[in-house]
Amino acid sequence: MAESDAIRRYALEAAVEPEAIERARARAVEIGADPISAAVGAQIAVVTAATAALSIVEIGTGAGVSGLWLLHGSPRATLTTIDNEPEHLAAARTAFAEAKIAPARSRFITGRAADVLPRMNEASYDIVLVDADAEGVIEYVEHGLRLVRAGGTVLVPRALRGGAVADPVRRDPITTAFRSLIEETQASPAVLGALSIVGEGLLQLTTVPAEH
């Protein structure tokens, strides 16, 4: 167990964060926006880069940390980000301006994701990141899988719930929802799923194009 903890700690600390994202992280901590770790940020940047993503949706803006990591991996992409907290969106706008992200590359939507997502076009995005209220994770992932194109990817940070998902004794509704999400997507022929244990965990779901 000690060796495993040392490996996880090393992987967590190995990620190097760009200065603009460091500033966004400090602001996130100040307003209680709970940003993703740099280790998970680096992973999502690799996914957007490997996907050559051009169109990204983020469910849960926070203070802009995850959005900046997404765009860091794909400098040509545009990001649509949704949050119901005006203070978070204001902080993210500041972070994007400091990072010199062109205004045309981002769209900030104030509102509940459950209200906004049904109005968005299906099969129109390369990446959807789900990092909003944990109670709605199943609903948000379902929307994400609808919104991404064939071969697109849905990313779910914090999938391990601080270790709760791996503890069979934990049966609260949120932990059970995340556990079901992981198990069902791993078994689904409609997606390729992988669960990273670095940082707070990252569930990656890539849709499998339908055979004709």
Side-chain angles (χ1 to χ4, degrees):
M1 184 63 71
E3 181 182 1
S4 175
D5 290 344
I7 291 170
R8 290 180 63 137
R9 185 169 59 252
Y10 179 81
L12 187 65
E13 295 173 352
V16 177
E17 197 158 52
E19 184 179 339
I21 304 182
E22 284 186 344
R23 289 197 299 269
R25 179 178 303 283
R27 191 176 293 111
V29 171
E30 286 178 8
I31 66 174
D34 192 18
I36 61 170
S37 66
V40 169
Q43 289 181 79
I44 67 175
V46 168
V47 173
T48 60
T51 307
L54 294 177
S55 188
I56 303 171
V57 174
E58 179 183 44
I59 305 169
T61 309
V65 172
S66 51
L68 289 176
W69 271 115
L70 289 163
L71 294 178
H72 180 66
S74 191
R76 295 174 54 221
T78 58
L79 173 72
T80 299
T81 184
I82 307 162
D83 205 297
N84 64 352
E85 293 284 349
E87 183 183 17
H88 290 183
L89 288 163
R93 288 178 187 275
T94 299
F96 277 45
E98 290 179 351
K100 295 181 170 51
I101 303 295
R105 294 186 57 212
S106 59
R107 180 167 66 129
F108 297 87
I109 298 177
T110 307
R112 294 177 61 249
D115 297 328
V116 175
L117 295 171
R119 303 197 299 266
M120 301 183 74
N121 294 330
E122 63 181 62
S124 299
Y125 301 91
D126 299 308
I127 302 284
V128 173
L129 182 132
V130 177
D131 190 23
D133 54 296
E135 294 86 350
V137 67
I138 298 290
E139 177 185 1
Y140 298 150
V141 169
E142 289 175 347
H143 277 298
L145 292 172
R146 178 183 65 84
L147 293 177
V148 294
R149 59 169 174 77
T153 298
V154 175
L155 300 169
V156 188
R158 311 181 211 273
L160 296 173
R161 300 297 300 163
V165 169
D167 182 355
V169 176
R170 292 288 297 273
R171 297 190 175 276
D172 59 278
I174 293 177
T175 300
T176 300
F178 272 86
R179 191 178 291 131
S180 297
L181 173 64
I182 293 167
E183 293 172 358
E184 290 175 13
T185 52
Q186 289 291 309
S188 172
V191 297
L192 294 172
L195 178 62
S196 168
I197 63 170
V198 172
E200 58 274 31
L202 179 68
L203 180 62
Q204 304 164 69
L205 306 170
T206 297
T207 58
V208 177
E211 296 183 2
H212 298 286

